[in-house]
């Protein structure tokens, strides 16, 4: 029904959200450290929250080991500026000095005409390190959730939009680049 970008990549799925869809930031950060400690080279973070400095530690650790984190920029048509009050995590967790470090690839979304998706967050900061690139993110076909007793989860395949669908494309590209080196 669908295909990914890096067919030979090994995936380490880590479940951080229980069935109710809520979780603590500390649970996600713990999983990030677990992935780094167990050989992950690329972390895909298709999540978003208010700015939380605790995301920075595992991002820096992975970077120091030669890896990279890819983070969805978010879907609020929000601009990230030099003011921390505009930031979100993990897209803005670029290292210990977020305005100058760039240890995290922040990913925004574009539509089929290569225009910024109307809802995609974007970068208006001085150094433009928060949203590093964009990828398709509007009306993408992919795996759905089949859980027929819950309305809206009745198909194995579905169309979705969001930076959470753009970021995995970039993670797949990073895996292809890693395979060449």
């Amino acid at each position: 029904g669908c295909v990914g970008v890096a067919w030979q990549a090994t995936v380490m799925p880590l479940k951080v959200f229980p069935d109710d869809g809520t979780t603590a930031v500390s649970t996600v950060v713990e999983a990030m450290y677990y992935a780094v400690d167990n050989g992950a080279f690329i972390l895909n973070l298709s999540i978003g929250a208010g700015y939380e400095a605790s995301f920075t530690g595992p991002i820096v650790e992975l970077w120091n080991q030669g890896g990279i984190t890819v983070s969805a920029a978010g879907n609020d048509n929000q601009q990230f500026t030099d003011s921390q009050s505009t930031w979100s995590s993990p897209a803005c967790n670029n290292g210990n000095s977020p305005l100058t470090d760039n240890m995290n690839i922040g990913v925004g979304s574009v539509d089929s005409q290569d225009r910024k998706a109307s809802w995609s967050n974007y970068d208006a900061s001085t150094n433009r390190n928060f949203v590093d690139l964009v990828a398709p993110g509007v009306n993408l076909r992919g795996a759905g959730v089949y859980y027929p007793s819950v309305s809206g989860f009745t198909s194995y395949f579905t169309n979705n939009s969001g930076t959470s669908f753009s970021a995995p494309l970039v993670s797949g590209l990073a895996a292809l680049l890693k395979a060449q080196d």
Side-chain angles (χ1 to χ4, degrees), residues 28 38 54 68 73 75 78 90 94 109 113 126 132 134 138 146 157 170 172:
V28 177
N38 286 279
S54 59
I68 192 71
N75 308 319
Q78 174 182 330
N94 276 331
S109 288
Q113 303 300 310
T126 302
D132 299 286
V134 294
V138 178
Y146 184 73
F157 298 97
V170 174

Side-chain angles (χ1 to χ4, degrees), residues 15-18 20-29 47 49 55:
K15 184 176 179 179
V16 296
F17 288 92
D20 70 2
T22 62
T23 196
V25 168
S26 60
T27 302
V28 177
V29 170
I47 57 174
F55 281 100

Side-chain angles (χ1 to χ4, degrees), residues 44 68-74 80 91 94 102 104-110 114 116-117 120-123 127-137 163 165-174 177:
N44 182 84
I68 192 71
T69 306
V70 178
S71 301
F80 301 135
N94 276 331
N102 199 12
N104 178 37
I105 299 174
V107 182
S109 288
V110 292
D114 202 26
K116 177 190 153 302
S120 181
N121 290 353
Y122 59 99
D123 198 335
N127 292 323
R128 303 287 199 269
N129 287 341
F130 296 130
V131 179
D132 299 286
L133 52 95
V134 294
T163 59
F165 299 95
S166 304
L169 296 174
V170 174
S171 294
L173 176 60
L177 291 171

Side-chain angles (χ1 to χ4, degrees), residues 86-108:
T86 67
W87 300 353
S88 71
S89 286
C92 297
N93 294 84
N94 276 331
N96 295 319
S97 300
L99 288 172
T100 55
D101 290 343
N102 199 12
M103 300 177 182
N104 178 37
I105 299 174
V107 182

